[in-house]
Amino acid sequence: MIRGEQLSKYFGDVAALNATDIHIRSGKITAIMGGSGSGKTTLLRLLAGLEQPTGGHVWYGDEDLCAMSVRRLYELRESMGMLFQYSALLNSMNVYDNVAFPLHEHTQLDESVIRTMVAMKLEQVGLRGFEHLMPSELSGGMAKRVAFARAMAMDPRIVFFDEPTSGLDPISAGVIATLIQDTSRKNRMTSIVVTHDVHAGLAIADHVILLWQGDIIAEGPPDAIRQSDDARVQQFLHGRPDGPIPFSRSTTSYIDDLTHKPGTIRLQS
Amino acid sequence: MNHSSVKQSFLALFFGRLGRYALHGVEQVGDASMLGLRALSLLFVRPWQGKHFILQLYALGVGSMVIIIITGAFTGMVLALQGYYTLAKFGSESLLGAGVGLSIIRELGPVLGAFMIIGRAGSSITAEIGIMRVTEQTDALEMMAINPMQRILLPRIVATVIAVPLLVSIFDIVGIASGYVVGVELLGVNQGAYMAELIAKITMVDIYGGWIKAIVFGFMIGMICTFMGYRSEPTTEGVAKSTTEAVVVSSVGVLIIDYIITSFFL
Amino acid sequence: MKAYRRIEMSVGVFVLLGIMAIGWLALKVGQVGGLGESGYTLVASFNDAGGMRSGGDIMMAGVTIGRIDSVTLTNNEQATMVLRINEGVKITEDSFASVRTKGIIGDRYVRITQGSEDTFLTSGQEIEETESAINIEDLISKYIFSGKD
């Protein structure tokens, strides 16, 4: 079980996350959704320990991730996987070596065993036979599926997905969403999915957390989110440009900018 | 605005900018050494990165051999040519070997060698690490329980520290030999005099000085180039900017440190 | 894996070449060990070493026969030099050491002139008869002042 307690993160003076409490349920798929700049990727990185919070704690069971020794952290990470937004395949290695990488690094398994395991993972994502290709030769969707296979290589208990469907065509996005759902259910994995893809998020998640400007504005099972009467939630779900969530963040009025700011066009002289 | 105030504001701007650059440079070198030392502290922490040291030595050392040999050869040749015509005016062509050898071993080998290594290998180290940052490959390593500082930074720093003195020594030898070819075979300096004067005039202190320079340059290049890559802004321009900066800062650093070490050895 | 073997081999060749270059520089050009510890040492005291430094040449009949190990000040007034003489060069007990200059403004060196005795100096012994460096300024001023007398 993973818990974020009063988590906050500031980049300079800008708050990416305000003292947020979050609870990730074991063996379930949790989707963290929100618009761009809502703090969802920051939250994911904090939970994965890729970033230190400005305040608060991340609890794995009764261990504090932020106060943990590097050795213990790496021990935990051997049972974690992460699918990055831009796949993050190691571009000096071909597909096979990328998927086999965690196995080579952390197991003493025989190469023939590793080969079988890699073949299984690649079969699962439908890319068997592409072992010799380099990451630069793959399309975005293929790279993401290879990255998925790599994230699953160690059969992790906890997997983080950062925008798994963004930038993909609808079919590839659907393939990835289905893969996340199937493998999570089958292996009873704890999955944390960060996405702004409302459709995919609601379809695969057991639990949805909706973020806006660094705060949680709604939380619950997908059906409850769909039926929420919070205007902000409805605006986000239906992608309406008008609503309580402003489209722009200007603080000064447009006319002020035009008339008084030095260096801009003046309407009167 | 009258004339003197224009001049004044220009001077203020000039010195202000100069000061800012200097402070920025010092700060960066400080940060780079902190990061480099942190990476180096992982040298004897398991797992041992032997294979990655070899791979980096290959990229850096073997990869820079050709350029080092070419630069060394032409440096030695031009030194022999220039030296010969200067020395001939005083009738002391026999000192050619000493002149070529001393300038190469004490100064040109380490400095020109370092420049070529910065251009050939340093920039690619920065760009490579920068791109790994942009594409989240370092985060991916981190999530696969591999310390990017130990896996990416450490082998590159160790490889530069080992490779630079070796490459500089090769540069020295090639330079001296090509100076010999031009001086003795082409210009007709006495062949015994070339080597005898070279051996007589160059002491072990000169050679140690050259090696110490090479080792310090190696450290500096490794630390600055890995640091610039590691700290580059995660954008395309960020990587481009830090690659340029890595080349500029380490080249200027080579010249400054060269002066400091030379002043200690004289 | 085959590719990695090739990389390993080329790195091996590179390191070997580098070490050969280092070795050549040290042994051939720097003469480390070549003259460093071989031969034997003699001691000589001078009133004026004339700026002679360690590493300077020792010559006999215009041939280099050794190098100077060290120059130190003794008794607050004399310069004592440790001379390292090449193996096989024998120096008589009544030999004569002087600090000379190559040309008018050239390097300083120590010149040893053989005496007439049949016994030779052994390691650690002293060359008793010495002549200090000839100081050109002294010579010139002596000449000028002698003219005034």
Side-chain angles (χ1 to χ4, degrees):
Chain A
M1 186 186 65
I2 308 167
R3 228 156 29 85
E5 184 192 318
Q6 290 293 303
L7 272 181
S8 55
K9 178 75 184 178
Y10 285 81
F11 293 106
D13 288 337
V14 185
L17 205 62
N18 300 317
T20 306
D21 283 313
I22 185 170
H23 191 138
I24 307 291
R25 283 147 187 79
S26 295
K28 303 280 187 205
I29 302 174
T30 305
I32 301 172
M33 299 203 287
S36 307
S38 61
K40 52 192 194 316
T41 296
T42 306
L43 179 57
L44 188 80
R45 292 175 64 86
L46 287 173
L47 291 175
L50 284 175
E51 225 145 317
Q52 283 286 324
T54 313
H57 302 275
V58 177
W59 297 98
Y60 276 68
D62 51 5
E63 288 178 282
D64 186 351
L65 194 71
C66 316
M68 205 177 267
S69 73
V70 177
R71 190 175 295 265
R72 177 69 187 133
L73 179 65
Y74 282 169
E75 216 172 281
L76 271 180
R77 278 188 177 150
E78 286 185 30
S79 60
M80 290 185 204
M82 185 154 178
L83 178 62
F84 287 88
Q85 185 169 0
Y86 301 109
S87 307
L89 295 175
L90 302 173
N91 51 17
S92 56
M93 301 177 181
N94 64 17
V95 168
Y96 174 83
D97 286 326
N98 260 292
V99 178
F101 186 79
L103 298 165
H104 280 142
E105 291 294 330
H106 298 301
T107 68
Q108 311 294 317
L109 294 172
D110 209 57
E111 190 62 32
S112 61
V113 180
I114 291 180
R115 201 169 297 133
T116 316
M117 291 174 78
V118 171
M120 277 168 61
K121 301 294 173 192
L122 284 177
E123 175 73 41
Q124 196 182 10
V125 297
L127 285 176
R128 206 152 60 79
F130 291 81
E131 282 89 344
H132 59 281
L133 289 186
M134 297 304 284
S136 56
E137 299 168 309
L138 300 173
S139 72
M142 284 157 83
K144 220 143 204 179
R145 283 187 282 161
V146 174
F148 184 91
R150 181 180 68 178
M152 297 301 152
M154 297 282 282
D155 292 319
R157 287 187 12 257
I158 304 161
V159 186
F160 300 91
F161 298 91
D162 188 8
E163 303 280 10
T165 58
S166 80
L168 298 183
D169 65 274
I171 298 173
S172 298
V175 169
I176 291 281
T178 316
L179 276 171
I180 294 172
Q181 198 172 23
D182 285 354
T183 40
S184 301
R185 295 273 146 74
K186 201 176 74 207
N187 304 338
R188 307 180 63 73
M189 250 164 36
T190 305
S191 299
I192 302 151
V193 184
V194 155
T195 182
H196 55 231
D197 182 342
V198 178
H199 176 72
L202 290 177
I204 62 173
D206 298 307
H207 189 81
V208 175
I209 295 169
L210 213 57
L211 279 178
W212 181 60
Q213 290 198 354
D215 290 304
I216 294 179
I217 54 167
E219 191 174 356
D223 285 335
I225 296 288
R226 276 193 197 98
Q227 281 143 27
S228 163
D229 46 13
D230 188 320
R232 293 174 300 181
V233 176
Q234 287 305 322
Q235 189 195 348
F236 182 73
L237 292 189
H238 296 102
R240 294 193 195 104
D242 298 315
I245 302 177
F247 153 72
S248 68
R249 292 189 192 199
S250 308
T251 49
T252 55
S253 91
Y254 184 53
I255 289 296
D256 278 356
D257 259 4
L258 287 178
T259 50
H260 296 306
K261 243 190 163 175
T264 53
I265 315 152
R266 299 209 170 191
L267 295 181
Q268 305 132 314
S269 62
Chain B
M1 219 185 262
N2 64 34
H3 201 74
S4 77
S5 83
V6 169
K7 205 165 153 190
Q8 210 165 36
S9 71
F10 172 76
L11 277 181
L13 196 76
F14 176 74
F15 283 111
R17 196 163 279 176
L18 194 70
R20 202 156 60 238
Y21 276 138
L23 281 179
H24 181 68
V26 169
E27 193 184 311
Q28 292 232 303
V29 170
D31 285 352
S33 9
M34 289 299 289
L35 186 78
L37 291 179
R38 250 172 78 202
L40 279 177
S41 71
L42 296 168
L43 182 55
F44 296 110
V45 176
R46 291 207 318 148
W48 171 243
Q49 305 288 331
K51 184 184 162 186
H52 299 277
F53 295 146
I54 300 279
L55 287 175
Q56 286 311 313
L57 265 179
Y58 178 76
L60 233 113
V62 180
S64 306
M65 277 265 273
V66 174
I67 190 82
I68 282 291
I69 288 174
I70 292 174
T71 348
F74 279 97
T75 307
M77 280 155 65
V78 82
L79 275 179
L81 214 53
Q82 291 277 17
Y84 178 81
Y85 287 111
T86 312
L87 290 170
K89 287 181 186 155
F90 305 104
S92 34
E93 300 97 313
S94 61
L95 287 173
L96 187 65
V100 170
L102 272 178
S103 8
I104 287 187
I105 287 174
R106 279 166 54 150
E107 203 57 54
L108 294 173
V111 172
L112 283 185
F115 281 168
M116 298 322 287
I117 294 160
I118 290 169
R120 166 75 182 51
S123 56
S124 81
I125 288 177
T126 308
E128 192 185 8
I129 297 178
I131 285 169
M132 291 187 86
R133 294 292 278 184
V134 177
T135 56
E136 295 180 310
Q137 289 180 57
T138 44
D139 287 335
L141 285 176
E142 184 78 43
M143 285 310 290
M144 289 189 282
I146 289 174
N147 189 341
M149 221 167 304
Q150 191 180 14
R151 172 60 57 89
I152 306 296
L153 301 198
L154 176 65
R156 285 167 174 77
I157 297 176
V158 170
T160 44
V161 174
I162 295 174
V164 173
L166 295 180
L167 288 168
V168 165
S169 301
I170 292 172
F171 185 109
D172 289 352
I173 302 281
V174 172
I176 289 171
S178 53
Y180 179 91
V181 171
V182 169
V184 175
E185 306 291 335
L186 253 52
L187 301 172
V189 173
N190 181 298
Q191 66 169 27
Y194 185 92
M195 280 319 286
E197 283 299 326
L198 183 100
I199 290 165
K201 287 289 183 306
I202 296 173
T203 62
M204 212 47 214
V205 178
D206 298 319
I207 297 172
Y208 283 140
W211 284 339
I212 287 172
K213 281 180 183 179
I215 292 168
V216 175
F217 292 165
F219 250 111
M220 202 188 62
I221 294 170
M223 282 184 177
I224 289 179
C225 292
T226 51
F227 167 81
M228 291 292 177
Y230 202 69
R231 290 289 159 85
S232 69
E233 298 251 332
T235 57
T236 322
E237 306 91 82
V239 176
K241 192 168 148 256
S242 51
T243 307
T244 314
E245 216 167 321
V247 172
V248 172
V249 172
S250 36
S251 305
V252 173
V254 161
L255 290 174
I256 293 174
I257 291 185
D258 181 57
Y259 179 78
I260 294 172
I261 297 179
T262 308
S263 69
F264 273 116
F265 267 87
L266 286 178
Chain C
M1 274 302 102
K2 219 180 204 169
Y4 182 65
R5 283 266 160 278
R6 245 190 38 227
I7 286 173
E8 262 186 342
M9 250 167 53
S10 50
V11 170
V13 171
F14 162 66
V15 172
L16 192 77
L17 274 175
I19 287 176
M20 271 163 56
I22 286 177
W24 192 83
L25 281 177
L27 296 176
K28 192 82 205 300
V29 180
Q31 305 267 302
V32 72
L35 285 169
E37 288 309 308
S38 71
Y40 61 99
T41 57
L42 298 176
V43 182
S45 290
F46 297 87
N47 288 326
D48 185 354
M52 196 74 225
R53 285 198 240 172
S54 61
D57 286 336
I58 302 166
M59 292 186 151
M60 180 182 285
V63 178
T64 306
I65 57 161
R67 284 193 180 193
I68 292 170
D69 257 12
S70 66
V71 183
T72 47
L73 187 68
T74 47
N75 299 333
N76 267 332
E77 58 172 2
Q78 283 214 308
T80 302
M81 290 186 198
V82 177
L83 314 173
R84 186 165 288 280
I85 309 293
N86 292 353
E87 206 71 64
V89 178
K90 289 180 177 169
I91 293 172
T92 58
E93 270 187 338
D94 59 344
S95 65
F96 177 78
S98 56
V99 176
R100 291 302 181 101
T101 310
K102 295 176 186 167
I104 295 178
I105 49 166
D107 285 351
R108 304 257 184 199
Y109 68 99
V110 170
R111 188 173 80 176
I112 297 178
T113 319
Q114 295 284 34
S116 53
E117 283 190 29
D118 291 338
T119 46
F120 298 107
L121 290 167
T122 55
S123 187
Q125 285 188 302
E126 186 172 354
I127 300 178
E128 310 221 327
E129 265 193 89
T130 62
E131 184 189 48
S132 293
I134 296 161
N135 195 324
I136 297 222
E137 289 145 51
D138 285 352
L139 281 182
I140 293 171
S141 62
K142 208 181 269 175
Y143 175 74
I144 292 169
F145 288 121
S146 67
K148 269 190 179 169
D149 276 350

